Amino acid sequence: MNDDQWKGVINFLNEKFDENGLFRKAWSAQTEANLPLIKKEDSLRSVTEQMLLDKEKAVVIVGASPKLKEDVHKLKALDENFIIVCANSAAKFLLDNGIKPDYVISIDADDVIAKRDLDFDSTGLTLITSNASSHDVITKWKGKILWTPYYGIDKELRPKVRKLLGKVTPMGGNTFTSAVALAYDVWDARILIFVANEMCYDTIKTKSGTRYYAHKKSKWEQKHVHHFPVKDVLGRERYTNIPLFQYKIWLEKFVNLVDNCIIIDTSFGIFGTDCPNINHMDLEKAIPYVKDAFMMAKEAETDWHQRERIKYNVAYASGTYWPQGWKRWKAVFKDRDMNQYKTVLDVGCGIGQGVAMCRNSGIEAYGIDIADTLKNYWKQANITDFCQIV
């Protein structure tokens, strides 16, 4: 972004600030209107026990970028190990394509935007929203509502909100980032799959323009919104803007701060260009990948053999686990006359040091173990033909 573009962005934001006045006024007005509707028992914090069934599931967080058109039908392959949390902008598109989200998140105070995004029959759906969200939309919602507090409001309103909704729930700068924070903090999710979250455009120079959303126009497509060139995770030339780039930074900071969470992005936008801890794969591959992980975990609960297999697969794959079997074999060779043995079977041979030592000494040796990741080590030691996974 050059100096002229940056000045343009500042001027645009200043115009919007003058046009809307203090955003706090709008948030406070919506909060005052919503307070009579807020029940303490519907606080997101107070219903944590009711949400235990969703704990530790894989959370699929769905945005509404153009990639959603390509991926929406792939979501039908999800099973009971997944929950779908969608931004309000994606909800109608999902429903129109036969996908019912488990939760819809809307934090817009702007009545026009909120009505546009939530213009559908909400019967049987659960909305997660804040006290500062559009009152008109809240009153027309037919499904369940769970409230999360927002305190960027007038000082005298904050104690009333705190009394009803309790402590702040971590939230990001927009609906999508809020969904990420809630998935980690409320559902205790350790697998997050991002869908339709490109945070960029293909181009802004075509006659028809490129859509910010999969199925509708957006203010971010307007000419006076300043765009600047970036490259996505595949190295393709794209365009983005200041708010989208801020969300990218926020999400990448989140990923770097959590070390016990697997992040899978299926959008192939700019999310992850500065964060190596994000796994990029097509949604069609990501779903069975996660299903297999849950299946192994379930089997491991009752199957000792499977539990040990998983443990050692992870250990050897980490690159930090280095078994000390060679020390034991070195002691055996030192203390015994190995010439008396013609055949040796090493049960739990690990990376195969004992097998290699025996065969180098002319002894017919074989090894067995349970970790599939050991095959790479056996190949490097040229003992693949003599070792087996059981």
Side-chain angles (χ1 to χ4, degrees):
M1 176 179 288
N2 58 39
D3 290 342
D4 289 336
Q5 288 175 316
W6 177 249
K7 290 177 182 176
V9 170
I10 297 301
N11 290 334
F12 168 69
L13 293 175
N14 285 337
E15 289 172 7
K16 284 297 178 183
F17 186 83
D18 293 338
E19 177 185 321
N20 294 298
L22 289 171
F23 290 118
R24 179 172 290 178
K25 289 183 179 179
W27 296 329
S28 298
Q30 298 288 18
T31 297
E32 284 194 87
N34 287 330
L35 279 176
L37 304 176
I38 300 175
K39 298 178 181 178
K40 192 171 184 178
E41 59 267 26
D42 289 330
S43 164
L44 192 59
R45 291 289 182 184
S46 67
V47 298
T48 301
E49 291 185 6
Q50 300 173 32
M51 302 170 79
L52 286 177
L53 290 176
D54 291 332
K55 284 274 188 179
E56 297 182 5
K57 290 188 177 183
V59 177
V60 182
I61 304 176
V62 183
S65 81
K67 192 74 164 58
L68 187 57
K69 280 187 176 180
E70 178 185 331
D71 285 345
V72 64
H73 293 294
K74 299 174 185 177
L75 293 170
K76 293 181 179 180
L78 299 178
D79 60 18
E80 69 279 359
N81 289 307
F82 300 79
I83 61 172
I84 297 177
V85 181
C86 76
N88 52 342
S89 54
K92 187 175 188 302
F93 190 79
L94 290 180
L95 292 169
D96 288 345
N97 284 276
I99 305 293
K100 182 181 178 181
D102 295 280
Y103 300 93
V104 178
I105 296 184
S106 178
I107 58 172
D108 282 310
D110 187 303
D111 292 327
V112 175
I113 295 176
K115 287 177 182 177
R116 177 201 66 189
D117 286 341
L118 298 179
D119 183 22
F120 52 80
D121 183 3
S122 56
T123 303
L125 297 174
T126 298
L127 177 70
I128 296 177
T129 192
S130 84
N131 49 280
S133 298
S134 166
H135 177 71
D136 285 351
V137 166
I138 301 294
T139 54
K140 293 176 182 177
W141 185 265
K142 296 179 181 178
K144 185 175 180 59
I145 296 177
L146 297 176
W147 297 88
T148 184
Y150 180 71
Y151 293 119
I153 53 178
D154 290 341
K155 195 173 182 179
E156 59 271 18
L157 285 173
R158 294 175 200 168
K160 298 178 182 179
V161 173
R162 190 171 287 108
K163 183 177 180 181
L164 288 167
L165 300 179
K167 68 177 183 177
V168 172
T169 303
M171 301 284 272
N174 74 336
T175 305
F176 198 93
T177 52
S178 297
V180 173
L182 291 173
Y184 187 78
D185 186 60
V186 175
W187 289 291
D188 199 28
R190 292 300 173 260
I191 301 176
L192 300 181
I193 303 176
F194 293 173
V195 177
N197 184 37
E198 293 170 79
M199 300 187 222
C200 59
Y201 313 79
D202 288 332
T203 178
I204 56 169
K205 297 181 179 179
T206 60
K207 185 176 180 180
S208 60
T210 299
R211 290 284 178 259
Y212 173 79
Y213 292 123
H215 56 299
K216 57 191 176 186
K217 291 184 178 181
S218 164
K219 64 180 180 180
W220 301 118
E221 296 156 18
Q222 298 169 10
K223 290 183 179 179
H224 61 262
V225 178
H226 289 266
H227 301 76
F228 57 93
V230 290
K231 288 188 177 182
D232 64 19
V233 295
L234 298 178
R236 299 173 296 187
E237 294 288 345
R238 309 288 288 270
Y239 285 84
T240 191
N241 56 45
I242 290 294
L244 290 178
F245 202 73
Q246 285 179 320
Y247 302 151
K248 158 196 153 61
I249 294 172
W250 189 97
L251 287 170
E252 289 179 348
K253 290 283 187 183
F254 166 84
V255 173
N256 286 330
L257 286 172
V258 295
D259 57 1
N260 57 346
C261 192
I262 297 173
I263 310 294
I264 300 174
D265 176 68
T266 67
S267 307
F268 300 102
I270 62 172
F271 175 51
T273 52
D274 298 306
C275 183
N277 299 326
I278 298 167
N279 302 283
H280 298 282
M281 65 179 74
D282 186 83
L283 183 59
E284 202 165 25
K285 294 181 180 179
I287 293 173
Y289 173 79
V290 174
K291 281 184 177 180
D292 288 345
F294 277 109
M295 185 178 296
M296 286 192 294
K298 188 173 183 179
E299 290 176 356
E301 291 177 3
T302 55
D303 186 339
W304 175 88
H305 187 269
Q306 179 71 347
R307 191 160 57 245
E308 290 299 296
R309 183 190 300 276
I310 294 172
K311 180 175 74 174
Y312 283 105
N313 267 330
V314 171
Y316 284 114
S318 69
T320 59
Y321 175 70
W322 193 252
Q324 301 298 311
W326 65 273
K327 291 184 178 180
R328 291 191 295 272
W329 274 106
K330 188 176 180 180
V332 168
F333 270 84
K334 181 180 179 181
D335 298 336
R336 297 189 184 186
D337 178 13
M338 296 301 292
N339 292 326
Q340 62 181 306
Y341 300 106
K342 293 183 179 180
T343 306
V344 169
L345 174 62
D346 187 357
V347 179
C349 65
I351 63 175
Q353 305 110 315
V355 175
M357 291 171 70
C358 287
R359 299 197 76 88
N360 289 337
S361 299
I363 302 170
E364 188 178 358
Y366 301 91
I368 58 174
D369 211 306
I370 61 175
D372 293 310
T373 46
L374 288 168
K375 291 179 180 179
N376 292 328
Y377 294 98
W378 296 343
K379 185 177 181 180
Q380 293 173 25
N382 295 318
I383 56 172
T384 301
D385 295 337
F386 314 110
C387 296
Q388 186 176 341
I389 299 296
V390 294

